[in-house]
């Protein structure tokens, strides 16, 4: 096959791939923006994982808005305007005014079973033995507000039922319920709470866009009507969409910055546009192939993979650079066959070491990280093949430039720098550099917080904090999962938990909670309550009736009560509660893992002391705190710890390849520059106070694979040292432009990755002459 | 001319009523602490006859309202910003409401609003309408929020230099009249009174 035919075939294959990609893209590229999706399942317990999955949508879709205005009516008007306009837009369901709970529904569900329902305080009072029929009913009668919101005196003469019902009311946080509005007043402003829910998965691009558009439309309408109103907002959707915007703008910046920078550099070096075109073609072939393969295999592409893919241009283009440098170096003696033969050994060693490093990453059990590694794997192999099969056919004519003049500057620069690092001086510099690293290494501190995956959004975080302090509500995501052998078992275990939570609420460590057992006490508790009433209230029915008559109750009422107690003994069940419309807002709390698994969820509202709340479940059977963020952080920590020795393993693997090719002494010399660079990079993190994260370790692993290439290129050489030096410098600079820009990303994880990689690359370039110490 | 005069009057009336309310409340709120004896008559549907109770009330602008019933049962209700603390005949203090937004907390606020004469908290819960003169007045309080209106129809206050009567009309038909006398003012609460506000 001729060179041209092979190139043509390769181009045709690329065209087919592009057509398939266009077909896939036309249906919309499935892009996963949920940063947590990079991570594997966190819960070892499959039920917990299932609950996390089913609840995270419900919890994540919440939004909380706060409208404030000096004038109360105008604050409410602004909130109503918002609700109307945002509701019309669709995508966001918001309510300013909570629906009124119908007292008749409460009575229908509970009143027939009221002798089994007691508030904690009343249960304690009865059990203490100090409770007296006469005092209790008199207190209810003479208190100016006694029984004001409950059943008539005859049905609830001691106020037991009224107080139990009061305990059912949802917590209003620090707000007050007025006319269905949750309101607070302070600092001369009235604040009105608006609660909402996003329609659909908040990480879905279209859902997000619709919800944000609805919010913006509502906010515009509210501010147009009441210009002095202020709006605060919080909710996962706002953070996710801002995070997405930041990641997309990072990607744009990195892609544009690297393409423009690389093009300018290449033009300066080669004085021709052809190497740029060939370089981009080679890198583009790699990226196209990798994107297509992963889309077909995985079904979706993660945003992180794409961000990384944009940076991969920097590495893939190195192969083309070396080829073009060989072309320039050969001058008029150029033939494509000889050119390919000249660069093949260097490229093969380079690609072999890189694939080993990436392959190791691919073994990490993070779906996202392994996708990144597979992306790199496919992309680099295709770029490597394109240099051998595509580029020769497109570069048949020799360069018209004088090779000595074109590469002289690089040769001189390299010569001078090699001189600095030659012989004993090189060893001294290396030793001093390592010595200077020590304090930096000692200052290294790990950080595995999952929030590193999310860009910092100070303005949104401020609003979130303001809403939390004003309302006592938050859009937190932790909850307790309670499991048991049966419905009763779950309720009993839940009660043990909610008792502790109530103590925390009294101590203001927690604003509130939602639990099914608050609405449906366990059967055992209902029976115990009834037994308490039997013992302390209804034991002597005649005496009871007498007392009731004495304090002034009508005769028929006084007689009806004991009869009614004797009549009804049917406890309220979860099924009764589920059948009542009252349970509608809380149904997701029950059987979250499906009908067959007796389990419930206890939601936490407004955690102020997270550590104490987390302790609430300690030692309770069947109770687990589900904290996705903490689980993920722990997991990140485990993998970071695992990845550090992995870095050493990757270096060893590369050493194996190098040993085969160069023998012991030279192999160590080839590896030395990149190892020094990694040492310096680690110290830099320590000195700069940048935490050591899994993402940094990933950057160092990739840096190891790329950085060693420069030493390999220099070691293998092409026939003119200046041309090799130029290729190495160009390669390093293009990689710095590609990855280095990630160091300025708003996403801490990408920033750490970029910083680790860029510093490793820069160091590898600086120390590269050490690899050819014996070739002088 | 007559129409013009009438519309002027109509404009002037609410302004006048607001001024009157302001003047009354200002006067009521002057002392830091007010103590009085009270007689309360509650007419409840399920009682043969109205229940009459007697006791003392202490209103502190800062702490809240202390409602000390002496007969027919000994009980103290402390309506404070945190809810109601009830001290029974046995001397045991119980906190009735811990949850914000609960009925008890709201009734505690209600009592403070009514007895504390703070215009701001009064207006937060009611639409107040004053009538009469500063020397002899009545204030009708209609609940503003539907949550309160569900169980409370109207509260009427009456008095002169001090608050003298409170009438509470519930939607259930229950009716309460409180009369106060031997009103005395003071600078601060006694230590034992302060103690009653504290949650157990």
């Amino acid at each position: 096959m001729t060179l041209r035919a092979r190139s043509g075939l390769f181009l045709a294959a690329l065209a087919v791939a592009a057509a398939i990609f266009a077909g896939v893209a036309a249906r919309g590229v499935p892009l996963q923006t949920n940063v947590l999706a990079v991570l594997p399942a966190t819960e070892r317990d499959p039920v917990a994982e299932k609950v996390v999955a089913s609840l995270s949508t419900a919890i994540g879709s919440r939004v909380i808005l706060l409208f404030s205005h000096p004038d109360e009516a105008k604050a409410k008007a602004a909130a109503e305007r918002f609700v109307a306009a945002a509701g019309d837009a669709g995508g966001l369901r918001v309510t300013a005014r909570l629906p009124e709970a119908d007292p008749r529904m409460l009575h229908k569900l509970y009143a027939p079973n009221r002798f089994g329902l007691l508030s904690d305080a009343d249960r304690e009072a009865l059990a203490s033995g100090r409770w007296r029929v006469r005092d209790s009913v008199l207190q209810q009668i003479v208190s100016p507000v006694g029984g004001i919101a409950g059943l008539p005196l005859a049905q609830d003469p001691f106020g037991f039922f009224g107080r139990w019902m009061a305990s059912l009311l949802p917590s209003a946080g620090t707000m007050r319920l007025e006319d269905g509005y949750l309101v607070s007043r302070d600092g001369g402003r009235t604040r009105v709470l608006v609660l909402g829910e996003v329609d659909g998965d908040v990480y879905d691009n279209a859902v997000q866009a619709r919800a944000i558009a609805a919010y913006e439309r509502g906010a515009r309408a509210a501010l147009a009507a009441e210009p002095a109103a202020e709006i605060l907002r919080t909710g996962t959707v706002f953070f996710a969409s801002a995070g997405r915007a930041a990641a997309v703008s990072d990607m744009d910046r990195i892609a544009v910055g690297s393409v423009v920078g690389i093009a300018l550099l290449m033009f300066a070096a080669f004085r021709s546009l052809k190497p740029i075109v060939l370089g981009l073609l080679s890198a583009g072939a790699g990226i196209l192939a990798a994107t297509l393969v992963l889309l077909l295999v995985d079904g979706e592409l993660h945003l992180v993979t794409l961000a990384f893919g944009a940076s991969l241009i920097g590495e893939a283009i190195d192969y083309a650079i070396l080829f073009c440098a060989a072309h320039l170096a050969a001058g008029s003696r150029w033939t494509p066959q000889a050119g390919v033969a000249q660069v093949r050994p260097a490229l093969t060693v380079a690609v072999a070491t890189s694939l080993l490093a990436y392959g190791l990453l691919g073994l990490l059990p993070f779906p996202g990280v392994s996708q990144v590694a597979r992306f790199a794997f496919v992309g680099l192999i295709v770029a490597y093949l394109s240099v051998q099969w595509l580029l020769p056919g497109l570069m048949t004519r020799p360069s018209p430039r004088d090779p000595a003049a074109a590469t002289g500057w690089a040769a001189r620069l390299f010569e001078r720098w090699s001189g600095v690092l030659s012989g004993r001086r090189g060893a001294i510099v290396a030793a001093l550099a390592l010595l200077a690293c020590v304090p930096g290494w000692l200052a290294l501190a790990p950080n595995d917080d999952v929030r590193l995956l999310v860009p910092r959004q100070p303005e949104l975080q401020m609003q979130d904090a303001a809403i939390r302090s004003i309302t006592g509500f938050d859009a937190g995501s932790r909850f307790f999962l309670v499991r048991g052998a049966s419905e009763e078992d779950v309720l009993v275990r839940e009660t043990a938990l909610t008792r502790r939570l109530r103590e925390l609420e009294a101590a203001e460590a927690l604003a509130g909670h939602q639990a099914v057992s608050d609405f449906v006490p366990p059967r055992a508790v209902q029976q115990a309550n009834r037994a308490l009433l039997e013992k302390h209230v209804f034991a002597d029915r005649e005496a009871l009736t007498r007392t009731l008559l004495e304090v002034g109750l009508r005769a028929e009422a006084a007689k009806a009560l004991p009869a009614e107690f004797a009549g009804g003994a049917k406890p309220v069940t979860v099924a009764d509660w589920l059948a009542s419309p009252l349970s509608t807002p809380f149904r997701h709390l029950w059987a979250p893992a499906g009908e067959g698994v007796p389990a419930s969820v206890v939601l936490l509202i407004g955690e102020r002391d997270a550590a104490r709340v987390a302790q609430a479940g300690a030692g309770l059977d069947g109770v687990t705190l589900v904290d996705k963020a903490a689980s993920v952080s722990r997991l990140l920590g485990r993998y970071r710890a695992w990845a550090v020795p992995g870095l050493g393993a990757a270096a060893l693997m590369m050493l194996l390849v190098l040993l085969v090719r160069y023998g012991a002494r030279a192999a160590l010399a080839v590896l030395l520059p990149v190892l020094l660079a990694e040492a310096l990079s680690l110290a830099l993190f320590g000195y700069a106070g940048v935490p050591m994260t899994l993402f940094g370790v990933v950057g160092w692993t990739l840096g190891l694979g790329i950085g060693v290439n420069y030493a390999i290129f220099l070691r293998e050489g092409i026939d003119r040292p200046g041309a090799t030096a130029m290729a190495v410098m160009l390669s390093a600079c293009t990689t710095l432009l590609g990855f280095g820009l990630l160091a300025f990303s708003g996403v801490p994880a990408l920033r750490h990755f970029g910083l680790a990689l860029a510093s490793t690359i820069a160091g590898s370039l600086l120390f590269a002459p050490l690899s050819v110490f014996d070739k002088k | 001319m007559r129409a013009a005069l009438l519309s002027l009057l109509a404009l002037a009336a609410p302004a006048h009523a607001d001024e009157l309310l302001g003047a009354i409340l200002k006067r009521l709120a002057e002392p830091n602490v007010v103590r009085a004896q009270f007689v309360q008559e509650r007419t409840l549907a399920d009682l043969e006859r109205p229940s009459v109770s007697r006791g003392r009330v202490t209103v502190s602008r800062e702490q809240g309202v202390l409602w000390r019933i002496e007969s027919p049962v000994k009980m103290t209700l402390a309506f404070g910003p945190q809810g109601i603390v009830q001290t029974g005949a046995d001397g045991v203090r119980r906190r009735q409401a811990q949850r914000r937004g609960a009925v008890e907390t709201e009734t505690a606020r209600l009592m403070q609003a009514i007895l504390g004469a703070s215009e701001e908290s009064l207006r937060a819960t009611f639409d107040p309408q004053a009538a009469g003169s500063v020397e002899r007045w009545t204030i009708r309080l209609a609940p503003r929020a539907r949550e309160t209106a569900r169980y409370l129809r109207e509260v009427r206050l009456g008095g002169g230099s001090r608050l003298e009567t409170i009438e509470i009309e519930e939607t259930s038909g229950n009716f309460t009249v409180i009369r106060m006398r031997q009103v005395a003012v003071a600078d601060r609460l006694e230590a034992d009174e302060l103690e009653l506000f504290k949650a157990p």
Side-chain angles (χ1 to χ4, degrees):
Chain A
M1 207 188 300
T2 65
L3 284 176
R4 281 189 181 278
R6 201 185 284 173
S7 285
L9 215 60
F10 201 98
L11 271 180
L14 270 186
V16 172
I20 298 174
F21 178 73
V24 174
R27 278 178 281 145
V29 176
L31 193 58
Q32 174 61 263
T33 55
N34 182 354
V35 280
L36 291 182
V38 199
L39 306 164
T42 47
E43 309 303 325
R44 256 172 278 169
D45 178 352
V47 174
E49 191 63 43
K50 204 166 159 191
V51 174
V52 169
S54 75
L55 268 186
S56 60
T57 320
I59 295 175
S61 68
R62 288 189 294 191
V63 297
I64 304 176
L65 303 156
L66 205 54
F67 289 79
S68 77
H69 197 284
D71 183 284
E72 180 184 331
K74 287 183 174 168
K76 286 181 182 166
E80 288 293 0
R81 274 302 178 92
F82 174 86
V83 168
D88 283 347
L92 195 60
R93 287 189 302 266
V94 276
T95 28
R97 227 173 156 189
L98 303 175
E100 195 171 12
D102 186 348
R104 278 171 311 183
M105 282 194 300
L106 278 166
H107 289 174
K108 188 172 167 228
L109 177 61
Y110 293 120
N113 311 304
R114 66 183 187 276
F115 297 110
L117 305 169
L118 284 176
S119 70
D120 290 348
D122 284 329
R123 189 163 40 244
E124 280 161 29
L126 282 169
S128 75
R130 282 198 298 263
W131 187 88
R132 295 287 170 270
V133 170
R134 189 188 153 82
D135 288 351
S136 177
V137 67
L138 274 175
Q139 283 170 0
Q140 197 66 10
I141 291 172
V142 301
S143 162
V145 290
I148 193 164
L151 285 174
L153 185 69
Q155 289 176 45
D156 190 24
F158 313 110
F160 291 144
F161 185 60
R163 286 188 287 272
W164 188 76
M165 297 275 279
S167 74
L168 283 186
L169 282 174
S171 166
T174 56
M175 315 281 286
R176 290 187 44 214
L177 191 60
E178 278 181 23
D179 263 355
Y181 295 101
L182 279 166
V183 179
S184 83
R185 292 181 187 81
D186 61 272
R189 294 184 84 86
T190 299
R191 299 170 205 276
V192 177
L193 193 75
V194 171
L195 296 170
E197 238 174 68
V198 176
D199 243 337
D201 177 5
V202 290
Y203 291 110
D204 184 300
N205 191 13
V207 168
Q208 223 173 65
R210 260 161 61 88
I212 296 295
Y215 163 76
E216 279 166 359
R217 186 166 154 191
R220 267 196 309 276
L223 291 175
E226 303 298 346
E230 274 174 21
I231 309 174
L232 294 176
R233 67 186 193 280
T234 191
T236 311
V237 70
F238 298 117
F239 283 94
S241 112
R244 183 196 187 85
V248 167
S249 93
D250 273 358
M251 269 167 50
D252 288 350
R253 196 168 49 202
I254 288 155
V256 170
S258 56
V259 168
V260 170
I262 289 165
L264 283 175
L265 263 176
M266 300 268 278
F267 189 77
F270 293 109
R271 304 284 159 79
S272 157
L273 282 175
K274 198 161 185 184
I276 305 167
V277 174
L278 292 185
L280 291 181
L281 193 62
S282 167
I287 289 171
L288 176 66
T291 308
L292 192 61
V293 167
L294 288 184
L295 272 181
L296 295 180
V297 173
D298 291 359
E300 65 172 12
L301 207 56
H302 199 280
L303 193 69
V304 172
T305 311
L306 211 61
F308 178 86
S311 317
L312 198 68
I313 297 174
E315 156 125 48
I317 212 165
D318 288 0
Y319 306 156
I321 290 173
L322 193 68
F323 182 75
C324 293
H327 175 249
L328 191 63
S332 55
R333 292 179 287 113
W334 170 259
T335 64
Q337 290 87 345
V340 169
Q342 209 176 45
V343 298
R344 186 178 292 130
L347 289 190
T348 308
V349 178
V351 95
T353 51
S354 286
L355 290 188
L356 270 178
Y358 290 124
L360 213 63
L361 271 183
L363 294 179
L364 277 178
F366 286 82
V369 174
S370 113
Q371 199 185 48
V372 164
R374 284 175 291 138
F375 190 98
F377 223 93
V378 177
L380 288 184
I381 289 177
V382 171
Y384 169 72
L385 293 179
S386 76
V387 171
Q388 299 187 53
W389 293 345
L390 174 64
L391 301 199
L394 302 176
M395 209 165 207
T396 46
R397 260 175 300 168
S399 163
R401 294 173 68 198
D402 171 16
T407 61
W409 65 272
R412 282 190 296 278
L413 195 61
F414 182 73
E415 199 62 31
R416 209 167 298 159
W417 184 238
S418 297
V420 173
L421 289 182
S422 68
R424 274 183 52 201
R425 240 175 314 172
I428 291 169
V429 168
L432 284 179
L434 284 179
L435 205 63
C437 283
V438 176
W441 293 339
L442 296 178
L444 267 180
N447 181 353
D448 304 310
D449 195 330
V450 68
R451 278 167 295 187
L452 292 172
L453 280 167
V454 185
R456 246 179 67 76
Q457 294 150 33
E459 203 241 330
L460 273 179
Q461 276 161 353
M462 221 178 62
Q463 297 197 19
D464 180 68
I467 288 180
R468 191 187 297 246
S469 81
I470 293 167
T471 65
F473 290 124
D474 59 13
S477 60
R478 303 209 296 180
F479 57 86
F480 282 102
L481 178 67
V482 182
R483 300 177 65 193
S486 61
E487 170 184 318
E488 174 71 4
D489 201 21
V490 170
L491 290 175
V492 168
R493 289 171 169 192
E494 210 186 66
T495 324
L497 173 66
T498 54
R499 198 174 303 129
R500 294 192 188 171
L501 292 181
R502 261 189 280 276
E503 282 166 22
L504 292 175
E505 284 157 31
E508 310 228 311
L510 180 69
H513 68 268
Q514 291 178 356
V516 177
S517 60
D518 286 349
F519 302 100
V520 185
R523 183 177 288 259
V525 169
Q526 297 189 50
Q527 281 163 353
N529 286 343
R530 205 182 148 81
L532 265 180
L533 290 176
E534 174 79 57
K535 185 176 169 197
H536 297 283
V537 185
F538 295 97
D540 185 346
R541 300 204 177 152
E542 274 169 37
L544 172 66
T545 311
R546 217 166 34 241
T547 312
L548 291 179
L549 286 173
E550 270 169 31
V551 300
L553 233 68
R554 287 186 198 283
E556 62 274 19
K559 282 180 195 134
L561 190 72
E564 208 181 330
F565 178 78
K570 180 189 158 290
V572 188
T573 64
V574 174
D576 295 338
W577 178 69
L578 287 174
S580 160
L582 287 172
S583 67
T584 312
F586 308 104
R587 272 183 200 151
H588 57 275
L589 298 179
W590 189 252
E595 278 307 314
V597 189
S600 74
V601 160
V602 176
L603 276 191
L604 301 167
I605 300 163
E607 287 185 52
R608 256 155 268 169
D609 188 339
R612 279 178 71 189
V613 172
Q615 276 306 306
L620 296 179
D621 282 337
V623 176
T624 349
L625 177 71
V626 180
D627 182 344
K628 183 80 181 168
S631 314
V632 168
S633 297
R634 264 198 306 280
L635 202 73
L636 288 180
R638 266 211 308 283
Y639 288 128
R640 177 187 48 74
W642 184 88
V644 173
L647 194 60
L652 275 178
M653 302 266 257
M654 288 177 2
L655 190 61
L656 281 180
V657 176
L658 298 175
L659 278 175
V660 170
R661 174 84 184 157
Y662 306 115
R665 208 174 135 83
L668 281 172
V670 167
L671 207 51
L672 183 64
V674 73
L675 291 185
L676 273 176
E678 300 258 294
L680 278 173
S681 176
L682 276 165
L684 177 73
F685 269 60
Y687 279 123
V690 180
M692 191 159 136
T693 63
L694 178 63
F695 310 96
V697 177
V698 169
W700 287 314
T701 313
L702 292 186
L704 194 66
I706 299 171
V708 77
N709 288 355
Y710 309 145
I712 295 170
F713 287 180
L714 283 178
R715 189 86 207 170
E716 294 290 340
I718 38 184
D719 62 1
R720 212 173 278 275
T724 317
M726 186 173 89
V728 165
M729 280 187 265
L730 274 178
S731 291
C733 291
T734 52
T735 307
L736 279 177
L737 278 171
F739 287 115
L741 291 178
L742 278 177
F744 300 99
S745 168
V747 184
L750 284 181
R751 196 163 59 234
H752 299 158
F753 172 80
L755 194 62
L757 191 53
S759 51
T760 305
I761 295 303
S764 302
L765 177 65
L766 283 178
F767 294 116
L770 292 177
S771 65
V772 285
F773 71 101
D774 54 347
K775 282 211 164 174
K776 284 279 126 116
Chain B
M1 184 65 207
R2 221 179 117 198
L5 206 66
L6 273 177
S7 61
L8 256 180
L9 269 177
L11 277 176
H16 171 72
D18 265 8
E19 264 170 38
L20 176 62
L21 180 72
I24 298 166
L25 293 176
K26 188 169 171 244
R27 192 159 166 199
L28 288 181
E30 261 165 23
N32 279 332
V33 173
V34 179
R35 294 194 180 85
Q37 307 274 336
F38 73 81
V39 178
Q40 173 188 269
E41 200 179 295
R42 275 195 103 195
T43 311
L44 307 181
D46 290 320
L47 289 182
E48 285 290 352
R49 54 195 174 273
S51 113
V52 177
S53 53
R54 291 184 167 77
R56 289 172 293 146
V57 60
T58 309
V59 181
S60 154
R61 253 195 302 169
E62 276 148 35
Q63 310 294 330
V65 175
L66 211 53
W67 194 258
R68 313 174 84 163
I69 302 161
E70 278 151 6
S71 78
V73 63
K74 268 195 174 308
M75 170 171 71
T76 301
L77 295 169
F79 301 96
Q82 300 299 321
I84 307 177
V85 177
Q86 177 181 339
T87 311
D90 52 7
V92 176
R93 274 207 307 273
R94 286 187 199 98
R95 193 168 169 178
Q96 280 202 354
Q98 298 185 334
R99 291 154 63 98
R100 295 189 173 94
V103 178
E104 284 87 350
T105 327
E106 282 306 296
T107 44
R109 269 175 27 82
L110 213 87
M111 287 300 282
Q112 284 183 80
I114 294 169
L115 287 159
S118 146
E119 184 163 1
E120 197 192 331
S121 60
L122 211 55
R123 283 193 186 280
T125 315
F126 300 104
D127 278 327
Q129 290 278 326
S133 68
V134 181
E135 297 311 316
R136 182 103 321 252
W137 47 264
T138 55
I139 302 174
R140 299 167 78 89
L141 301 170
R144 287 179 35 167
R146 65 182 188 201
E147 291 80 12
T148 319
R150 197 188 292 147
Y151 54 87
L152 197 64
R153 188 165 293 141
E154 189 178 79
V155 177
R156 289 184 291 276
L157 310 177
S161 62
R162 299 279 167 248
L163 176 63
E164 287 164 16
T165 60
I166 304 169
E167 296 174 349
I168 303 169
E169 216 178 296
E170 297 172 33
T171 48
S172 60
N174 292 348
F175 182 65
T176 306
V177 185
I178 300 165
R179 291 190 185 81
M180 295 197 266
R181 54 190 127 161
Q182 295 180 331
V183 180
V185 299
D187 274 342
R188 61 177 99 75
L189 291 179
E190 301 296 335
D192 64 318
E193 289 173 321
L194 272 174
E195 194 62 26
L196 292 165
F197 279 101
K198 286 186 193 153

